[in-house]
């Protein structure tokens, strides 16, 4: 380890008092830091960093990447995690900074990235599946490469030396540029047109490719290949001048030129140059509007998919693999391919075939109409290409060769973004007629619910037809961990290679807020994967983190933790809300009560996408006819409160959309259970109520509320509560400080409700004719009366937020969700 000469930190631009401003030193700011975010912000301020992003890399600038920790951590471990991210970025052809730095509250260290690059070629290093998996073992493996190049600083003594070192590194503005290869040629060309070509005023679009090759085959001083494509690049001072025939092109603005060549390295390596030149005729600027169709994949996301394929399949994959996209649409996924003679594109709609064939961007590709879920499938589920005669002979032969494992066979990559259609039952529904009844679906009877999904039907045929292929697919994540797909996963078993998830908002035609996965699989290797680790991208394609998906057996899921009670013959009024009966009387499955029940628990689905909308408790049955409901009895109330709280306390995001709730893996502390009880009682989805005069099925119905945590005298009620169950249940329970605060603030609101004389409109709307009104009625009535008498909910909200903050990390700690 190289240590710098300790410097006095008496003077610092961050420690002077000027015009009344007290600016602390970096060391002082770190001493006051309470979290990793505080540590990051302290360094960002002290270093004056600009253009900062905080994503997968903790602090990312163009010149330096920082790994940050809230606690003191060995620098070599932090550098190991940074090198994981450098390795990933390099495999994807992304820009890499010239310097790497690691920081915590005590110390910092920096090193030139180029000194560490040789370790990426060491095949003996065992890399983890994610950056968070970098540990001391990985640190020991990389130490021989980087240890002598690390300069470490103790902030208490070397603050100014570190600040100066980082600022000098930024001032050097050295960048490790991305090479131009056969695999990223199309992407580089499209970016060149956007940043450089459009500034040249070119008259013919075909000339872009000629000028592009003149530019990349020049190192800024001399041509690597003389007149590589019929054009030449000269320089007038530092300004580039392009010569094509009698035309001379100069840049209207050279900013894009400078930025482009700060990202990419030129000329390409010697071994790639002639191959790249042979691809010239396939390059035309991509008009994104030409690719917008029913299942349009934005081209910035296609870019990321090709980066991912390069990372998963290694360099030159576009030359080595034959590609078949049997859901090609109008060709989005092939828009970035640089070797279209290796590409087969088929689609259901003949009109899309016409569009693709007329698009010069696909010159050289084999394009044909094909209904993959119906064509060439026999009555016995076998594949017979002679039935339709549509599959090109070259593709047929490649499939046969690959299946037989011939040494000369080219590997096949299936690259698809299939439709995400789902039938409501085994024979399809009115809105999606025929979804489940394709010819290929006839052989999927053993897959249950999964057979209704169109993309699973594609996978079923692919597994049967192309068992040795690689598969790269955009899709929802249902097949990874959804309970209804357990039988499918038993047959799937492909080896996971790599992948990313992207926010569904990136796709214009998709509604909702969920992840779309682009996952790469090796079908030839049967290695079922229980943990799928991915990179997470936002809608623009920017990396925002990592995300793991877990495949747990269905008997581990939380919905198996609470046994269901049998219904009896006592009729109950089906509700759509706390006090609103359903409007129909026919076709309702939930219309009977259960012995000893005190509430009905709506608890549908086992994942976070359902938790917010399908979790609630009622004083009668909920009207939805599904198996997701439970009856709450005194003997299962504790479990019901835990399940309710666990499902509701974690907010839904697009990334955790598919996460499955699990049975607890650790013993539940009594305090956690009592905290959950209080959280449930004062939750917005506690829809228990006391009400008379509900009309349904020609009868009048009443609701009895068993979920009042106070006595009549505690809240000043003017009448007797029909049930005192909850008061008796809570007697003797010792509540935590946070839960106690919620109970106290809730009691004040309950008392205010009973002290308020509401007008008839509010009393009628919320059925306030009984003393045993529930939390839903109390909140809504006070809010509705706010224009007359404003109720201050803020103290209650603050107490409830504190209890929420306490419970959230315990959901992971106790095993209800995997960390």
């Amino acid at each position: 380890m190289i240590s710098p000469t300790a410097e006095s930190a008496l003077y610092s631009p961050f420690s002077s008092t000027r015009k009344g401003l007290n600016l602390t030193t970096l060391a002082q700011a770190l001493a006051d830091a309470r979290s990793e975010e505080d540590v990051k912000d302290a360094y960002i301020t002290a270093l004056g960093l600009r253009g900062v992003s905080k994503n997968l890399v903790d602090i990312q600038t163009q010149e330096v990447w920082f790994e940050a920790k809230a606690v003191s951590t060995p620098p070599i471990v932090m550098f190991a995690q940074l090198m994981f991210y450098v390795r990933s970025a390099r495999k994807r052809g992304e820009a890499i900074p010239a310097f790497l730095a690691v920081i915590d509250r005590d110390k910092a260290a920096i090193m030139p990235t180029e000194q560490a690059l040789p370790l990426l070629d060491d095949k003996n290093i065992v890399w983890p599946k994610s950056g968070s998996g970098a540990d001391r073992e990985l640190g020991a493996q990389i130490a021989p490469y980087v240890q002598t190049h690390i300069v470490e600083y103790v902030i208490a003594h070397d603050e100014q030396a570190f600040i100066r070192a980082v600022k000098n590194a930024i001032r050097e503005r050295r960048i490790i540029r991305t090479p131009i290869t056969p695999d990223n040629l199309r992407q580089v060309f499209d970016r060149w047109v956007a940043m450089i070509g459009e500034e040249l005023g070119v008259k013919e679009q075909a000339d872009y490719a000629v000028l592009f090759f003149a530019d990349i085959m020049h190192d800024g001083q001399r041509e690597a290949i003389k007149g590589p494509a019929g054009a030449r690049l000269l320089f007038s001072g530092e300004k580039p001048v392009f010569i094509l025939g009698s035309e001379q092109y100069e840049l209207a603005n050279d900013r894009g030129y400078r930025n482009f060549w700060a990202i990419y390295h030129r000329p390409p390596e010697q071994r790639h140059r002639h191959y790249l030149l042979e691809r010239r005729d396939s390059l035309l600027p991509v008009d994104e509007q030409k690719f917008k169709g029913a299942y349009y994949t934005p081209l910035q996301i296609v870019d990321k998919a090709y980066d991912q394929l390069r990372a998963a399949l290694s360099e030159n994959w576009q030359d080595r693999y034959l590609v078949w996209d049997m859901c090609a649409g109008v060709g989005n996924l092939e828009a970035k391919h640089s070797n279209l003679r290796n590409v087969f594109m088929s689609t259901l709609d003949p009109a899309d075939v016409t569009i693709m064939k007329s698009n010069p961007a696909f010159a050289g590709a084999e394009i044909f109409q094909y209904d993959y879920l119906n064509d060439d499938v026999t009555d016995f589920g076998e594949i017979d290409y002679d039935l339709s005669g549509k599959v090109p002979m070259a593709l047929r032969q490649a499939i046969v060769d690959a299946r037989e494992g011939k040494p000369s066979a080219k590997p096949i990559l299936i690259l698809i973004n299939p439709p995400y259609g789902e039938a409501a039952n085994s024979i399809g529904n009115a809105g999606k007629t025929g979804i489940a009844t394709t010819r290929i679906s006839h052989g999927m009877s053993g897959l249950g619910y999964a057979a209704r999904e169109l993309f699973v039907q594609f996978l079923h045929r692919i597994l049967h037809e192309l068992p040795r292929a690689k598969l790269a697919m955009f899709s929802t994540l249902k097949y990874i961990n959804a309970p209804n797909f357990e039988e499918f996963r038993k047959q799937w078993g492909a080896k996971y290679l790599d992948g990313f998830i992207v926010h569904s908002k990136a796709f214009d035609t998709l509604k909702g807020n969920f992840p779309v996965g682009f996952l790469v699989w090796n079908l030839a290797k049967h290695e079922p994967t229980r943990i799928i680790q991915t990179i997470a991208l936002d809608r623009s394609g920017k990396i925002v983190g990592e995300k793991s998906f877990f495949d747990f057996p269905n008997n581990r899921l939380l919905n198996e933790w609470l046994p269901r009670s049998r219904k009896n013959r006592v009729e109950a009024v089906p509700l759509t809300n706390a006090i609103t009966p359903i409007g129909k009387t026919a076709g309702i499955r939930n219309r009977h009560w259960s012995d000893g029940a005190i509430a009905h628990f709506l608890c549908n689905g086992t994942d976070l996408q359902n938790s917010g909308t399908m979790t609630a408790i009622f004083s009668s049955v909920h009207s939805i006819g599904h198996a997701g409901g439970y009856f709450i009895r005194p003997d299962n109330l504790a479990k019901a409160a835990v399940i309710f709280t666990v499902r509701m306390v974690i907010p839904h995001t697009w990334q955790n959309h598919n996460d499955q709730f699990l049975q607890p893996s650790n013993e539940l502390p009594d305090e956690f259970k009592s905290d959950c009880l209080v959280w449930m009682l004062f939750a917005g989805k506690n829809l228990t109520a006391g009400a008379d005069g509900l009309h349904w099925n020609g009868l009048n119905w009443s609701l009895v509320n068993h979920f009042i945590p106070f006595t009549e005298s505690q809240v000043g009620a003017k009448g007797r509560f029909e049930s005192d169950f909850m008061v008796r249940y809570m007697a003797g329970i010792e509540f935590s400080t946070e839960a106690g605060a919620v109970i106290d603030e809730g009691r004040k609101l309950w008392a205010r409700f009973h002290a308020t004389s509401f007008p008839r409109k509010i009393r009628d709307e919320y059925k306030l004719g009984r003393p045993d009104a529930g939390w839903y009625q109390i909140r809504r009535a006070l809010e509705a009366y706010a224009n007359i008498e404003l109720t201050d909910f803020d103290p209650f909200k603050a107490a409830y937020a504190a209890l929420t903050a306490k419970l959230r990390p315990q959901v992971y700690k106790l095993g209800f969700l995997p960390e």
Side-chain angles (χ1 to χ4, degrees), residues 573-764:
V573 53
L575 301 174
T576 61
N577 203 339
I579 52 176
T580 308
I582 193 171
K584 63 180 183 177
T585 57
I588 301 171
R589 293 173 57 191
N590 284 350
R591 55 191 302 166
H592 291 90
W593 203 236
S594 180
D595 293 345
I598 56 175
H600 189 243
F601 183 13
L602 173 66
C603 184
N604 192 27
T606 61
D607 50 21
L608 268 153
Q609 66 172 307
N610 285 297
S611 62
T613 58
M614 290 293 181
T615 306
I617 51 174
F618 299 85
S619 290
S620 188
V621 292
H622 190 264
S623 59
I624 294 178
H626 56 65
Y630 300 84
F631 287 98
I632 299 179
R633 303 189 314 269
D635 61 349
N636 68 11
L637 174 58
K639 274 191 175 182
V642 168
I643 294 173
F644 178 100
T645 302
V646 164
R647 286 170 60 92
M648 293 292 296
V649 77
I650 302 298
H652 170 267
T653 69
W654 74 268
Q655 291 188 48
N656 69 19
H657 181 84
N658 297 94
D659 287 0
Q660 303 290 324
F661 289 103
L662 306 170
Q663 296 176 38
S665 57
N666 297 299
E667 186 71 25
L668 300 184
D670 288 341
E671 184 173 299
F672 176 78
K673 290 186 283 188
S674 61
D675 281 350
C676 287
L677 175 65
V678 172
W679 199 92
M680 178 188 71
L681 289 174
F682 292 93
K685 287 300 188 76
N686 173 6
L687 302 182
T688 54
D692 291 328
L694 278 65
H695 303 287
W696 180 74
N697 199 22
L699 299 173
N700 289 325
W701 301 80
S702 294
L703 302 178
V704 177
N705 186 5
H706 299 280
F707 280 67
I708 302 175
F710 309 114
T711 65
E712 294 88 343
S713 61
Q714 286 176 323
V715 296
K718 298 179 178 64
R720 178 177 177 273
F721 299 155
E722 187 166 337
S723 170
D724 66 346
F725 166 78
M726 194 55 66
V727 170
R728 290 185 287 107
Y729 184 86
M730 294 170 64
I733 296 178
E734 185 175 341
F735 292 101
S736 68
T737 301
E738 294 83 359
V742 172
I743 293 172
D744 290 343
E745 294 300 333
R747 183 186 297 112
K748 295 174 185 177
L749 294 175
W750 223 287
R752 183 172 179 82
F753 168 83
H754 284 286
T756 301
S757 178
F758 294 101
R760 179 170 296 277
K761 180 181 179 182
I762 294 177
R763 294 183 64 81
D764 289 347

Side-chain angles (χ1 to χ4, degrees), residues 519-589:
L519 308 185
V520 186
W521 304 88
N522 184 352
L523 305 183
K525 293 191 176 182
H526 190 79
E527 295 182 20
T529 307
R530 298 304 178 196
I531 303 176
I532 301 295
Q533 293 171 314
T534 67
I535 288 172
L537 309 178
D538 65 14
R539 61 194 302 175
S540 67
K542 185 178 181 182
I543 295 177
V544 293
E546 295 177 326
K547 176 62 183 172
S548 296
F549 297 88
F550 301 82
D551 174 21
F552 289 100
N554 286 358
N555 60 14
R556 284 282 314 278
L557 300 180
L558 185 58
N559 64 347
E560 298 294 325
W561 195 46
L562 183 64
R564 299 185 191 277
S565 304
R566 287 191 175 189
K567 297 177 183 178
N568 57 28
R569 295 183 179 276
V570 176
E571 285 216 341
V573 53
L575 301 174
T576 61
N577 203 339
I579 52 176
T580 308
I582 193 171
K584 63 180 183 177
T585 57
I588 301 171
R589 293 173 57 191

Side-chain angles (χ1 to χ4, degrees), residues 91-92 308 311-312 496-500 518-521 533-534:
K91 288 172 68 177
R92 290 175 174 81
Q308 190 68 68
Y496 175 66
L497 299 181
D498 211 344
F500 64 75
F518 180 75
L519 308 185
V520 186
W521 304 88
Q533 293 171 314
T534 67

Side-chain angles (χ1 to χ4, degrees), residues 235-276:
F235 283 87
S236 176
E238 294 185 356
K239 292 186 176 181
V241 178
F242 292 86
I243 308 297
L244 178 58
S246 60
E247 298 288 344
Q248 179 173 305
Y249 297 103
E250 297 185 31
L251 295 165
N253 186 310
D254 66 354
R255 181 178 180 181
Y257 191 86
R258 287 184 283 106
N259 287 345
F260 183 87
W261 289 118
I263 297 170
Y264 293 103
H265 176 78
R266 63 177 181 180
E269 292 183 32
Q270 177 71 45
R271 61 194 176 106
H272 294 319
R273 292 174 191 173
H274 289 287
Y275 179 87
L276 294 176

Side-chain angles (χ1 to χ4, degrees), residues 1 181 240 354 411 614 621 800 807:
M1 187 77 69
T181 69
T354 301
M614 290 293 181
V621 292
Y800 196 71
L807 285 167

Side-chain angles (χ1 to χ4, degrees), residues 796-818:
F796 168 78
K797 290 179 179 178
Y800 196 71
L803 180 59
T804 301
K806 176 186 177 184
L807 285 167
R808 280 178 178 164
Q810 295 182 68
V811 171
Y812 296 94
K813 181 179 179 181
L814 295 171
F816 290 103
L817 285 172

